Amino acid sequence: MEFYSLTDKNTRRTFREATIEGQAPDGGLYFPSAIPTLPAGFNWKEASREEIAFQLLQPYVGDCLTEEVLRRIIQETIDFPFPLLKVYDDLYALELFHGPTLAFKDTGARFMSRCLGQFAASRDRKITVLVATSGDTGGAVASGFHQVEGVDVVILYPSGKVSPVQEKQLTTFGDNIRALEVQGNFDDCQQMVKTAFRDPDLKKALFLTSANSINVARWLPQQVYYAFALQQWTNEAAPVFVVPSGNFGNICAGMMAWKAGLPIQHFVAACNVNDVVPRYLLSGHYQPETAIATISNAMDVGSPSNFVRIAEIFNDDISALRKMLTGYTVTDQQTKQQLAATYRETGYVADPHGAVAIDAFFQYKSAGHTNKAIFLETAHPIKFPATVEEIIGHELPLPASVQAIMQKPKEATLLPNSYAALKEYLLYSR
Ligand SMILES: *Cc1c(COP(=O)(O)O)cnc(C)c1O
């Protein structure tokens, strides 16, 4: 399978090249030259999770990994449960937080890190993964890449703006993982990373790549849990998927799973007030904004990077897109009210991102839709204790993995909010 750049279709790459590079030299996102469908007669409902993941991903990987290696990578990637739970009669939770860092990003980060580890092994130059995080990416990337040979990881995070658990998850690994605590906000971190990718001095000194959902090896494996949800789905009609969305990588992967032939009725993009896409679906005008801080901070994105991939899936046809995608905006106040209501009505403790999705589902239902739905519970509520514990009125028990990490000392380098400081760090502090 070849991948082309969405900004220049003549830029073509193998899966290996696209994974190593992250994005095209001109900043374009890579997209597969064809969207493969599951083999005819393949009984995905009865297949093992490993087998369906293999069938979904193998065509993209092609001969860049042997079957044996790909199967091993898949097995390590999905080495934890993906349970589907009934929360309301017509709404189920697909819990994606049972991986090592308690957020859905573990699936993509684990797959990508292992692919990159394979590809790095056959190169003479080290790869430096440079990534900015608003919270969950950092931990998932740190965990996924820890002790992967041939890869160094540098994570930038905004000082004081990630939760205590999130901070520990990205500052306690050591070895090939380094954390930079930036005296600025997430947009500042993101901007510094973007500048670094364009800096010719750094290009000479280091081989830099990113590990966000722009990377095909992080984006595409997110398809697999849509299939795992459908394997557990016992209702007759195909479900609607409600996806808490920020950069739109997760929902866009779901659309690839739908294109592969899995029975999905519709997608609902659940956004906080950073709602560029819901507004686009209503007005037809795409208007990126600067991000606004909310309590569902992993979705505080003013210019969703994967939107261009969604446009490509639907051939830039907004009426076709509207048939398959609806978007809703959920304010912080609505998020808190929904989190409280769901806890009161069902006993289910959602995290703020999940609560945004539940609220979006009820907005969708109020608009007259009667389909049963699955929302993606993208993080464990313990990652947002300040918000969740205040609403539910008691402390949440710490999962064992978190208890261990909270004991470890934080190791981070404090960095002023300046690109020059990042550059100096990357060039000289090895
Ligand atoms: C990253 C993240 C999201 C947003 O996912 P996208 O793929 O960027 O749309 C939603 N919820 C949580 C908890 C996240 O960490």
Side-chain angles (χ1 to χ4, degrees):
M1 170 81 65
E2 266 196 332
F3 291 79
Y4 59 85
S5 162
L6 286 175
T7 49
D8 177 359
K9 298 203 170 171
N10 296 317
T11 307
R12 299 207 157 232
R13 299 287 186 269
T14 63
F15 175 78
R16 179 181 192 275
E17 292 163 343
T19 299
I20 293 175
E21 234 180 284
Q23 52 190 316
D26 63 1
L29 270 64
Y30 287 120
F31 195 86
S33 55
I35 303 180
T37 49
L38 288 169
F42 173 58
N43 186 351
W44 59 267
K45 194 108 197 182
E46 304 299 326
S48 67
R49 295 190 311 164
E50 285 76 10
E51 187 60 31
I52 191 164
F54 179 80
Q55 294 295 341
L56 282 168
L57 296 173
Q58 202 287 324
Y60 292 107
V61 173
D63 56 12
C64 293
L65 296 170
T66 64
E67 171 166 349
E68 187 195 342
V69 170
L70 178 59
R71 285 192 187 273
R72 178 174 56 70
I73 290 178
I74 286 173
Q75 194 231 321
E76 291 174 12
T77 299
I78 59 172
D79 184 20
F80 48 85
F82 295 77
L84 184 72
L85 272 72
K86 190 181 216 168
V87 177
Y88 290 94
D89 276 345
D90 49 4
L91 184 63
Y92 294 65
L94 176 65
E95 291 188 344
L96 299 177
F97 57 69
H98 296 277
T101 71
L102 312 180
F104 81 93
K105 293 187 171 76
D106 279 327
T107 305
R110 284 162 80 80
F111 187 81
M112 180 188 162
S113 61
R114 284 157 177 80
C115 290
L116 203 56
Q118 282 292 322
F119 300 150
S122 57
R123 290 163 50 91
D124 49 13
R125 214 170 156 197
K126 251 196 171 172
I127 297 174
T128 301
V129 169
L130 183 65
V131 71
T133 183
S134 60
D136 290 330
T137 296
V141 167
S143 161
F145 280 96
H146 185 222
Q147 291 177 341
V148 170
E149 291 282 333
V151 183
D152 279 336
V153 176
V154 178
I155 302 166
L156 280 71
Y157 72 98
S159 180
K161 295 195 173 60
V162 301
S163 79
V165 173
Q166 287 175 329
E167 184 169 46
K168 288 285 186 172
Q169 286 177 336
L170 54 94
T171 58
T172 55
F173 280 99
D175 302 322
N176 61 330
I177 313 291
R178 288 177 291 159
L180 299 179
E181 180 177 1
V182 176
Q183 292 167 314
N185 60 26
F186 171 64
D187 283 335
D188 299 326
C189 297
Q190 183 88 305
Q191 203 47 55
M192 286 160 79
V193 167
K194 281 187 181 159
T195 311
F197 284 125
R198 287 194 309 263
D199 187 326
D201 298 339
L202 287 183
K203 261 193 195 139
K204 252 181 267 156
L206 300 166
F207 189 93
L208 287 180
T209 192
S210 85
N212 53 29
S213 56
I214 285 175
N215 195 299
V216 294
R218 218 191 105 183
W219 168 53
L220 291 168
Q222 300 179 127
Q223 291 176 81
V224 302
Y225 42 70
Y226 288 86
F228 302 163
L230 291 167
Q231 288 186 310
Q232 299 169 74
W233 186 248
T234 52
N235 298 290
E236 212 154 293
V240 170
F241 275 95
V242 187
V243 187
S245 294
N247 258 325
F248 279 71
N250 205 6
I251 197 167
C252 184
M255 290 169 173
M256 300 297 271
W258 164 66
K259 279 276 179 183
L262 291 172
I264 296 173
Q265 184 89 236
H266 195 75
F267 290 94
V268 170
C271 294
N272 59 31
V273 292
N274 297 286
D275 58 352
V276 182
V277 174
R279 279 188 291 110
Y280 165 74
L281 290 167
L282 291 176
S283 71
H285 295 290
Y286 192 72
Q287 190 72 58
E289 304 275 356
T290 23
I292 300 164
T294 74
I295 57 168
S296 47
N297 65 3
M299 308 197 293
D300 295 350
V301 179
S303 178
S305 42
N306 283 285
F307 180 74
V308 286
R309 285 186 171 137
I310 294 180
E312 187 74 2
I313 294 173
F314 290 89
N315 297 316
D316 288 312
D317 176 353
I318 189 171
S319 55
L321 176 60
R322 280 173 174 147
K323 285 198 190 102
M324 211 50 208
L325 176 67
T326 310
Y328 290 102
T329 309
V330 181
T331 64
D332 274 0
Q333 200 195 346
Q334 288 170 314
T335 306
K336 288 182 190 167
Q337 282 170 354
Q338 187 61 63
L339 209 157
T342 298
Y343 181 56
R344 201 172 53 237
E345 291 158 7
T346 70
Y348 191 80
V349 181
D351 94 292
H353 305 78
V356 168
I358 299 171
D359 191 85
F361 168 72
F362 284 114
Q363 293 190 45
Y364 182 70
K365 194 173 162 176
S366 299
H369 300 283
T370 54
N371 303 313
K372 294 191 180 189
I374 296 172
F375 78 97
L376 272 48
E377 177 47 304
T378 45
H380 192 295
I382 197 69
K383 295 195 92 171
F384 309 93
T387 307
V388 176
E389 290 174 354
E390 188 190 313
I391 295 171
I392 65 170
H394 60 82
E395 279 188 20
L396 292 167
L398 280 186
S401 64
V402 175
Q403 272 175 32
I405 224 169
M406 295 312 277
Q407 306 302 321
K408 292 191 186 165
K410 157 183 162 183
E411 276 177 52
T413 304
L414 200 61
L415 207 73
N417 181 10
S418 98
Y419 176 67
L422 174 64
K423 181 169 177 173
E424 185 172 314
Y425 178 87
L426 288 173
L427 287 175
Y428 304 115
S429 64
R430 324 239 57 241

